[in-house]
Amino acid sequence: MIEPSLALYGEIFEKVEQHLDELLAATGVRYCLLVDRKGFVLSHKEALWAPRPPALDSVATLVAGNAAATGALANMLGESTFSEQIHQGEKGVLYVESVGDSALLTLIFDSSVPLGRVKVYAKKTITVITGLLKTLQDVPPVSFDQSFSVSASALLDDLLG
């Protein structure tokens, strides 16, 4: 089974959520998603006034697939990456920008929202979130020794009889 490449939790999750809230407030976007490169939604926020969002898991999967295809195009053209993508329609805009090597910031907003403002605030948010994600990579993996297993088994035996 495919699992997310990142797990946001605790203080880091709260900080990411706070920065996404600030991005929503500063820009006027409808929906803000932090997506890993496998297509999982790590965090999302939506404006209070926004209509019911599209299926965010489907959006995340398609955004990740599109980012992978765009990365392949960049390589074919001699670029290391294309860090941002903009899909502009008559009514709305989808803006996607890389957050380090592990995630994508995805913003969905009305075409009346100034793209320049969105890009400025998105870049500020990405800088902060990239730093937060790096701290996750530096955390040593959790390991359980034999005494944990014995203690857990004893606890379960006491609980379940």
Side-chain angles (χ1 to χ4, degrees):
M1 176 168 217
I2 297 176
E3 295 181 11
S5 57
L6 291 170
L8 295 179
Y9 53 89
E11 185 179 339
I12 293 176
F13 176 77
E14 290 171 13
K15 286 181 179 179
V16 167
E17 292 269 301
Q18 174 190 347
H19 289 290
L20 295 182
D21 272 335
E22 291 170 2
L23 180 60
L24 275 177
T27 59
V29 301
R30 286 183 179 196
Y31 313 106
C32 181
L33 293 85
L34 186 63
V35 177
D36 78 350
R37 298 250 177 201
K38 292 181 180 178
F40 290 94
V41 177
L42 301 172
S43 178
H44 77 280
K45 289 289 183 178
E46 60 188 70
L48 292 174
W49 52 266
R52 185 171 180 219
L56 297 181
D57 54 343
S58 296
V59 170
T61 302
L62 292 169
V63 163
N66 195 33
T70 302
L73 280 171
N75 286 334
M76 288 177 70
L77 299 173
E79 297 286 338
S80 60
T81 185
F82 291 142
S83 63
E84 67 180 26
Q85 302 171 46
I86 302 167
H87 300 279
Q88 197 157 3
E90 288 180 27
K91 299 176 188 172
V93 180
L94 174 72
Y95 177 77
V96 180
E97 188 162 350
S98 296
V99 180
D101 293 333
S102 56
L104 302 162
L105 179 65
T106 304
L107 305 173
I108 302 170
F109 53 97
D110 296 333
S111 56
S112 62
V113 174
L115 179 60
R117 178 176 25 171
V118 171
K119 289 174 80 169
V120 166
Y121 283 100
K123 289 185 186 309
K124 289 179 183 179
T125 302
I126 287 169
T127 300
V128 174
I129 292 177
T130 300
L132 292 171
L133 296 182
K134 282 187 180 188
T135 62
L136 275 179
Q137 294 170 347
D138 296 338
V139 174
V142 177
S143 62
F144 301 106
D145 59 6
Q146 184 62 28
S147 66
F148 176 82
S149 177
V150 170
S151 297
S153 294
L155 236 147
L156 286 171
D157 288 343
D158 286 347
L159 283 171
L160 303 174

